[in-house]
Amino acid sequence: MGSTRGTGRTRRTAKAVAAALACGAALAALTAVPAQAKQHERAPHWALKDTGTPEVRFRGLAAVSRQVAWVSGSAGTVLRTTDGGASWRNVSPPGAAELQFRDIEAFDARRAVVLAIGEGESSRVYRTEDGGATWTESFRNTDARAFYDCLTFFDHRHGLAMSDPVEGRFRILATGDGGRTWQVLPDDGMPAALEGEAGFAASGQCLVASGPKDVWLATGGAAHARVLHSADRGLTWTATDAPIPAGDPARGVFGLAFRDRTHGLAVGGDYRPDQASPQAAARTRDGGRTWQPAARPPAAYRSGVAWLPHSRTAALAVGPTGTDLTTDAGRTWRTVDTGSYDTVDCTPDHACWASGEKGRVARLED
């Protein structure tokens, strides 16, 4: 019987590897065999890239390619690399030292949009077209009731930002010109928020898009964690309970990732370090209409998640206590690193990046 179980595990692993081969040597090797079989070879790992900013926590990350990445975080800090992390340029918007840049979306090495979070006028959007040499403030929140958490783009022109509920409904901000101008969308297509419900500005992944019109919003803090879905760029929404514990302002769904409009992953838990997160991940195969808890979830709270490039089954989840890998589309997870990261992002040219506290930025390498 032991032999039969081993054979089944080998077949499942081989299938995952075949799906991930296009991801490059590091990503394929990561999913290839159990860790105990790698005693005589160096496993793929997070390679830290010195940002020179140990005082900054980078919760915003936009990975463009293996060479180009942007990070954003505390103290109004935005950094950019164009050489794979060998060097970083501080391209922070001037006069932003009091802001918290919790999300950033980049289209290439020159164009990026960054979101500052907070109550009232602390919530702002800035845009650059010259690699951060200059920035334009394109939105400043003037409603003291609003608190913007996350930002996402469908393409180079169309994007959304989300605020915690205002007058009982999540508020959605939209752009159709690449972030140059923004408008608050009508809320008549938004379901009523639950008591205490909000988003988490922890990893830039509480609002994510896939394809030209589909977008999902993650929540917590209320009696139930939920994932809201819109198929028309934020005009109308449906809400579904997620099997990640909530019931407390510190618990819920913190991050989402969709590899297409039907297959998605959710991660979260309780962000307090002294509290357990026994069910920190879930998956969907129908666009978020239903969610199934992971059969073997990550061992602790996770705030960020990303599908490996060109893979249908492999993904990474990160949090303050480590990184977990799934090779079966979110059914089971195993810890592969114990470093602290808040968010993760992967690129079409087979690169994965992660960022977090104490200026930590890393790229997955052999």
Side-chain angles (χ1 to χ4, degrees), residues 169-170 186-192 228-230 232 234-238:
R169 300 178 190 272
F170 285 93
D187 66 0
D188 52 336
M190 175 68 71
L228 282 64
H229 171 238
S230 171
D232 55 11
L235 293 176
T236 60
W237 298 79
T238 57

Side-chain angles (χ1 to χ4, degrees), residues 177-230:
D177 55 13
R180 294 178 180 87
T181 61
W182 297 85
Q183 302 80 36
V184 174
L185 294 182
D187 66 0
D188 52 336
M190 175 68 71
L194 305 177
E195 184 178 355
E197 191 174 28
F200 293 105
S203 61
Q205 295 181 335
C206 61
L207 185 72
V208 300
S210 180
K213 294 185 177 182
D214 287 277
V215 59
W216 295 264
L217 188 162
T219 82
H224 305 282
R226 300 198 297 176
V227 177
L228 282 64
H229 171 238
S230 171

Side-chain angles (χ1 to χ4, degrees), residues 25-86:
L27 302 182
L30 185 64
T31 63
V33 291
Q36 62 266 28
K38 298 181 179 180
Q39 297 175 358
H40 303 295
E41 61 182 79
R42 187 179 182 187
H45 63 287
W46 287 121
L48 284 169
K49 308 295 182 178
D50 184 11
T51 64
T53 56
E55 72 286 357
V56 178
R57 187 163 193 165
F58 292 116
R59 293 185 183 270
L61 167 64
V64 176
S65 67
R66 187 168 182 80
Q67 297 300 314
V68 177
W70 302 66
V71 290
S72 66
S74 55
T77 307
V78 179
L79 305 184
R80 183 191 64 146
T81 182
T82 57
D83 56 13

Side-chain angles (χ1 to χ4, degrees), residues 210 216 258-264 284-290:
S210 180
W216 295 264
F258 277 78
R259 66 172 173 82
D260 53 41
R261 67 188 309 266
T262 58
H263 297 85
T284 181
R285 291 173 287 181
D286 57 14
R289 287 192 293 273
T290 61

Side-chain angles (χ1 to χ4, degrees), residues 285-312:
R285 291 173 287 181
D286 57 14
R289 287 192 293 273
T290 61
W291 290 86
Q292 297 77 45
R296 188 172 72 231
Y301 156 73
R302 296 293 180 251
S303 53
V305 60
W307 292 91
L308 270 62
H310 312 294
S311 174
R312 299 176 63 83

Side-chain angles (χ1 to χ4, degrees), residues 9-35 37-38 41-45 306-316 324-329 332-334 336 352 364-366:
R9 182 170 61 250
T10 300
R11 289 173 178 170
R12 290 194 298 272
T13 302
K15 185 176 181 180
V17 174
L21 282 177
C23 300
L27 302 182
L30 185 64
T31 63
V33 291
K38 298 181 179 180
E41 61 182 79
R42 187 179 182 187
H45 63 287
W307 292 91
L308 270 62
H310 312 294
S311 174
R312 299 176 63 83
T313 58
L316 294 169
D324 295 281
L325 168 73
T326 179
T327 56
D328 52 18
T332 62
W333 297 82
R334 63 182 174 91
V336 294
C352 287
L364 195 67
E365 298 181 1
D366 288 327

Side-chain angles (χ1 to χ4, degrees), residues 72-118:
S72 66
S74 55
T77 307
V78 179
L79 305 184
R80 183 191 64 146
T81 182
T82 57
D83 56 13
S87 63
W88 295 85
R89 181 183 175 189
N90 189 327
V91 294
S92 306
E98 300 301 317
L99 300 178
Q100 299 284 324
F101 287 133
R102 295 289 182 91
D103 198 358
I104 187 167
E105 303 290 329
F107 308 124
D108 48 42
R110 297 184 61 79
R111 296 176 296 165
V113 180
V114 63
L115 172 71
I117 63 100

